[in-house]
Amino acid sequence: MMADNEKDIRTVSVFSGAGGLDIGAIQAGANVIWANDMMKEACQTYRVNIGNHIVCGDINEKMKELDGLNDISLVIGGPPCQGFSVAGKMDANDKRSQLIWSYIAVLKMLMPRAFIMENVKALGTLQKWEGTRNLLIKAMRDLGYSVNFMVLNAKDFDVPQARERIFVIGFRGDSMLIPDLEKMIKPYGKPAKTVREVLMTLDKAGTGNNQDVCKAKITLAHHPVLRKTPYAGMIFNGLGRPLRLDSYSATLPASMGGNKTPIIDEEELYNNSKPWVETYFEDLSHNPKAPESTNVPDYLRRITVAEAALIQTFPRGYQFHGSQSMKYTQIGNAVPCNMAKAVVQMVIDVLKEKKKIYYKHREQEMRFA
């Protein structure tokens, strides 16, 4: 695959959100010249932090603006995933699920040299979505792309979060060939810092650079269900779970802002005390009536907007716009920036002929048969 004479990797971003994927792409060397999202708050966040090239509105209505764009090297984007997610209704008829075909329409219009599409792990692994997967890959191959997908965990790419996502990647060329993406991405991995290491770079909640505090109250479940660890949920009301400070966060959901917002133990964070939730978990195992006589200590709180943003590896000081709830939604919806950078860097290195594409033998790859 021949590289462009110029260094510019002209890139179009769709379903851009607050810019997580785009930040990573820009850090990897992409020149994002056009972006789109329909959430007005996300567009404002993108505009303030990245640039005025974002167009706000429904991609199906704004796609005509792409007519004059030529020589596009790369298309990136993460179509809404709620319809495919195990955390959602798993509804193939969800309007958001249909937007993967809008992504295909953008590819057909621009015919970039490569593309990256991000989505939830379920789209790549569940049998329920096998038919959708096959149709999606066939549509991409019919356009002349060599295509495959891989499921990556953000913690393997310098993100303090165990967040698994699918990346569908295609290179314009022989559509009968299948890139060995798992082999190609390996050199770009980097172990993540722990949640503690990341959060200790911020001021205490409510002060300095860490002002946007979540006020959602933390209450104990009256009928807790004990799982293998106190970090697996079912102890507190709501889906907000305590963070493992010396490990990685669970996936940050877009539904943060209320009782689904993860919980921090400040005594553990700042004084290295034993996590309160572990002591409480031990008490519960011996005394099922413990919730009746136990109060949540005031040093347990929800993570702030700034803390959530750092866990998603947004640059420090990134400005999110809209209500507090909308800020959390934008962060939870985003592709972690460091993860995005690794994936886009891999693709750009191929486009610039710094790396080659490794292919699998057709007969070894049956997922898209």
Side-chain angles (χ1 to χ4, degrees), residues 15 78-81 84 95-107 117-119 123 132-133 135-136 139-140:
F15 311 107
C81 61
F84 301 115
K95 290 183 179 179
R96 295 168 296 186
S97 301
Q98 302 304 310
L99 290 171
I100 58 174
W101 307 116
S102 300
Y103 187 95
I104 295 294
V106 171
L107 292 182
M117 190 188 87
E118 179 266 356
N119 213 279
L123 181 59
T132 301
R133 281 196 301 275
L135 288 173
L136 179 66
M140 293 167 169

Side-chain angles (χ1 to χ4, degrees), residues 113-134:
R113 293 168 56 213
F115 66 82
I116 300 168
M117 190 188 87
E118 179 266 356
N119 213 279
V120 289
K121 176 185 177 182
L123 181 59
T125 59
L126 292 190
Q127 185 175 0
K128 178 180 177 66
W129 301 122
E130 183 177 7
T132 301
R133 281 196 301 275
N134 291 342

Side-chain angles (χ1 to χ4, degrees), residues 273-297:
S273 299
K274 180 178 178 178
W276 180 88
V277 71
E278 292 185 7
T279 300
Y280 179 61
F281 184 81
E282 294 166 3
D283 291 343
L284 281 175
S285 64
H286 297 101
N287 178 18
K289 293 187 177 181
E292 298 176 9
S293 58
T294 306
N295 294 315
V296 177

Side-chain angles (χ1 to χ4, degrees), residues 9 44 47-48 64 106 110 170 191 206 227 229 234 251 265 272 308 315 332 334 338 360-361 363:
I9 301 294
Q44 180 63 10
R47 190 170 290 115
V48 168
K64 59 182 179 293
V106 171
L110 296 176
R227 294 181 171 176
T229 79
M234 308 300 284
T251 298
D265 182 330
N272 292 311
N338 287 357
K360 293 184 175 184
H361 294 297
E363 61 271 19

Side-chain angles (χ1 to χ4, degrees), residues 13 15 18 43 69 74 124 160 176 183 194 199 273 290 308-309 336:
S13 167
F15 311 107
C43 290
L69 299 183
L74 183 62
M176 297 301 291
K183 182 175 182 179
T194 66
L199 298 190
S273 299

Side-chain angles (χ1 to χ4, degrees), residues 137-204:
I137 298 301
K138 182 179 185 303
M140 293 167 169
R141 286 181 172 159
D142 286 348
L143 290 176
Y145 288 92
S146 171
V147 185
N148 203 352
F149 73 80
M150 58 184 170
V151 174
L152 301 178
N153 195 319
K155 69 180 179 61
D156 298 323
F157 298 91
D158 198 20
V159 179
Q161 185 181 176
R163 183 188 189 99
E164 292 184 293
R165 288 295 186 267
I166 179 179
F167 288 87
V168 184
I169 295 176
F171 299 94
R172 200 169 64 205
D174 190 340
S175 62
M176 297 301 291
L177 296 175
I178 298 171
D180 189 343
L181 298 178
E182 287 87 355
K183 182 175 182 179
M184 293 168 64
I185 196 63
K186 281 184 178 179
Y188 299 88
K190 181 180 179 181
K193 295 178 181 177
T194 66
V195 171
R196 183 193 298 273
E197 289 174 307
V198 170
L199 298 190
M200 285 297 288
T201 64
L202 286 171
D203 297 323
K204 288 190 175 183

